[in-house]
Amino acid sequence: MEEKVAKPAGIPILRVSSGNIRNDALNPDHRFASMPLHILNKDGRPGMTRRQCTGEYKMKPIKQKVRELLGYPYPTRIPKGVFVEQWVGISTDEFHRAKDADVKYMRNRHPLLDMSWSRAECVRYLTSLGLADTPKSSCLGCPFHGNAQWRHIRDTSPSEWADVVEFDAAIRQGNARANASGNRLLGEAFLHRSRVPLSQAPIDHVTAAERAALHIGADEADVLENGVEDGCSPWACRGDAGALTRDDFGLAT
C-alpha cells in the first residue's frame, strides 16, 4: 500500500533494520534489547520488564539512516545547522507524546497536530481514499497488543499466530543472553497481559472498549480502555503511557 501511494507521488520508501528481535531474544550470544514482557513473579505479583526495543530496533536504525542521507555517517561530526525535518504522525489523541528530537541533526514536526486531526479523522480521510484497511503499526509479538489485535493475528494469519505462540513459550524464562549470564528473571515472562500462555490467553474476551466501538467508533474506544492507542511507532509506543519502577521489572539484581 505504501508503494502504491508513495511511488506515483515521487516519494521514496526507505526501510531500516537493526535485526530480528525474536532471533536476538533466543540467541545467547546476542545482546538483547529488552521487550516490555508481562512478568508473573514467584510471589504472585505482576511486573513488567524494561522496554528497550523501541530505541534499539527503531530509533537507532532511523538515526543511522538519517546520518547516511546527510552524508555524515557515525562517528563523523555533523556540522552545526545541518539537519533533516522529520514528520511524525502523532494525532491529537496522543498530543502529549509530541516531543522534540533528542539530536540536533533531526527536527520534528507533527503535521496532524498542526491540522488538529484526531485518529478518527485520519481514518475517515483514509476511508475517503479507499484505504480504510490501513492497519495500525506494531510489532507482530508486541506485549502491548490488546485482545482484538491478538484475535486478528490468530484469525487472519495462522502462520503468524503459530509463530507468536511459539515465541511466547520460548521466552517464558526470559531472554537467552540473560539466562546464559546468570541474570535470570525472578518470575515467568508472557506476551499477553493476563500472564498465561498465549495459546490459553482469554483473547476472545470482548472488552468494554470493543463494545463501545459499536456506538462511538473503534478509535475513541481504544482510548477509553487503554488511555492510549494500541499500536506503536518510535515516538508513540504504548509503553510510554506510564513510567515503570524498579519493582515493576521483576528482574534479578
Side-chain angles (χ1 to χ4, degrees), residues 232-244:
C232 187
S233 81
W235 295 271
C237 178
R238 287 188 56 197
D240 292 330
L244 297 176

Side-chain angles (χ1 to χ4, degrees), residues 57-233:
Y57 290 89
K58 295 180 181 180
M59 298 183 73
K60 181 178 178 180
I62 287 175
K63 289 176 180 177
Q64 289 176 336
K65 174 56 72 171
V66 167
R67 277 180 159 273
E68 178 186 319
L69 294 173
L70 288 174
Y72 298 95
Y74 182 84
T76 307
R77 181 181 178 277
I78 299 178
K80 183 178 180 180
V82 176
F83 64 92
V84 299
E85 182 177 272
Q86 180 172 247
W87 288 21
V88 185
I90 293 177
S91 63
T92 56
D93 309 277
E94 299 186 314
F95 70 91
H96 55 285
R97 292 185 180 168
K99 303 173 183 177
D100 292 332
D102 61 356
V103 289
K104 293 181 179 180
Y105 58 85
M106 298 168 71
R107 297 185 183 178
N108 290 348
R109 282 195 58 189
H110 303 89
L112 298 179
L113 297 183
D114 292 341
M115 298 187 295
S116 298
W117 276 26
S118 67
R119 182 174 177 86
E121 287 169 312
C122 294
V123 171
R124 282 195 289 271
Y125 177 69
L126 290 171
T127 300
S128 73
L129 299 178
L131 302 174
D133 58 345
T134 301
K136 298 176 182 179
S137 64
S138 63
C139 297
L140 178 63
C142 180
F144 287 124
H145 282 340
N147 283 351
Q149 286 181 297
W150 288 124
R151 287 199 306 272
H152 178 75
I153 296 171
R154 181 195 64 187
D155 298 342
T156 63
S157 181
S159 62
E160 290 183 331
W161 175 248
D163 183 78
V164 292
V165 167
E166 180 182 356
F167 180 63
D168 171 73
I171 205 72
R172 192 74 67 236
Q173 301 305 319
N175 74 77
R177 178 67 178 271
N179 291 336
S181 65
N183 189 30
R184 298 180 62 87
L185 284 171
L186 295 177
E188 293 183 308
F190 301 88
L191 290 183
H192 192 267
R193 65 188 66 172
S194 64
R195 295 173 175 81
V196 300
L198 186 57
S199 59
Q200 304 170 28
I203 65 173
D204 285 312
H205 170 67
V206 178
T207 64
E210 291 180 72
R211 292 194 296 272
L214 297 174
H215 305 288
I216 64 175
D219 300 289
E220 289 89 343
D222 282 341
V223 174
L224 280 181
E225 180 177 16
N226 301 314
V228 289
E229 302 283 354
D230 277 348
C232 187
S233 81

